[in-house]
Coordinates of all heavy atoms in Angstrom, one line a residue:
Chain B
D218 N 119.3 165.9 173.9 CA 119.7 165.7 172.5 C 120.9 166.6 172.2 O 120.7 167.8 171.9 CB 118.5 166.1 171.6 CG 118.8 165.8 170.1 OD1 119.9 165.4 169.8 OD2 118.0 166.2 169.3
E219 N 122.1 166.0 172.2 CA 123.3 166.8 172.0 C 123.7 166.6 170.5 O 124.8 167.1 170.1 CB 124.4 166.4 172.9 CG 124.2 166.8 174.3 CD 125.5 166.7 175.2 OE1 126.4 167.4 174.9 OE2 125.5 165.8 176.1
Q220 N 122.9 166.0 169.7 CA 123.3 165.9 168.3 C 123.3 167.2 167.6 O 122.3 168.0 167.8 CB 122.3 164.9 167.6 CG 122.6 164.6 166.2 CD 121.7 163.5 165.6 OE1 120.7 163.2 166.2 NE2 122.0 163.1 164.4
N221 N 124.3 167.5 166.9 CA 124.4 168.8 166.2 C 123.4 168.8 165.0 O 123.1 167.7 164.5 CB 125.8 169.1 165.7 CG 126.7 169.4 166.9 OD1 126.3 169.9 167.9 ND2 128.0 169.0 166.7
E222 N 122.9 169.9 164.7 CA 121.9 170.0 163.6 C 122.4 171.0 162.6 O 123.0 172.0 162.8 CB 120.6 170.4 164.2 CG 119.5 170.5 163.2 CD 118.1 170.5 163.8 OE1 118.0 170.1 164.9 OE2 117.2 171.0 163.1
I223 N 122.1 170.6 161.3 CA 122.3 171.5 160.2 C 121.0 171.7 159.4 O 120.3 170.8 159.2 CB 123.4 170.9 159.3 CG1 124.7 170.7 160.0 CG2 123.6 171.8 158.0 CD1 125.8 170.0 159.2
S224 N 120.8 173.0 159.1 CA 119.6 173.3 158.3 C 120.0 174.3 157.3 O 120.2 175.5 157.6 CB 118.5 173.8 159.2 OG 117.4 174.3 158.4
G225 N 120.3 173.8 156.1 CA 120.8 174.7 155.1 C 122.1 175.4 155.4 O 123.1 174.7 155.7
R226 N 122.1 176.7 155.5 CA 123.4 177.4 155.9 C 123.6 177.5 157.4 O 124.6 178.0 157.8 CB 123.4 178.8 155.2 CG 123.4 178.7 153.7 CD 123.5 180.1 153.1 NE 122.4 181.0 153.5 CZ 122.4 182.0 154.4 NH1 123.6 182.2 155.0 NH2 121.4 182.7 154.6
Y227 N 122.6 177.1 158.1 CA 122.6 177.2 159.6 C 123.0 175.9 160.2 O 122.6 174.8 159.8 CB 121.2 177.5 160.1 CG 120.7 178.9 159.7 CD1 119.3 179.2 160.0 CD2 121.4 179.9 159.1 CE1 118.8 180.4 159.6 CE2 120.9 181.1 158.7 CZ 119.6 181.3 159.0 OH 119.0 182.6 158.7
S228 N 123.8 176.0 161.2 CA 124.2 174.8 162.0 C 124.3 175.2 163.5 O 124.6 176.3 163.8 CB 125.5 174.1 161.5 OG 126.6 175.0 161.6
W229 N 124.1 174.2 164.3 CA 124.1 174.4 165.8 C 124.9 173.4 166.4 O 124.9 172.2 166.1 CB 122.7 174.4 166.4 CG 121.9 175.6 165.9 CD1 121.7 176.8 166.5 CD2 121.0 175.6 164.7 NE1 120.9 177.6 165.8 CE2 120.5 176.9 164.7 CE3 120.7 174.7 163.7 CZ2 119.6 177.3 163.7 CZ3 119.9 175.1 162.7 CH2 119.3 176.4 162.7
N230 N 125.7 173.8 167.4 CA 126.6 173.0 168.1 C 126.3 173.1 169.6 O 126.5 174.1 170.3 CB 128.1 173.4 167.9 CG 129.1 172.5 168.6 OD1 128.7 171.7 169.4 ND2 130.3 172.6 168.2
F231 N 125.6 172.0 170.1 CA 125.2 172.0 171.5 C 126.2 171.1 172.3 O 126.3 169.9 172.0 CB 123.8 171.4 171.6 CG 123.3 171.2 173.0 CD1 123.6 172.1 174.0 CD2 122.4 170.2 173.3 CE1 123.1 171.9 175.3 CE2 121.9 170.0 174.6 CZ 122.2 170.9 175.6

Side-chain angles (χ1 to χ4, degrees):
Chain B
D218 181 4
E219 289 194 65
Q220 187 173 6
N221 291 330
E222 182 164 336
I223 298 174
S224 175
R226 297 183 298 106
Y227 296 168
S228 63
W229 291 270
N230 184 347
F231 175 34

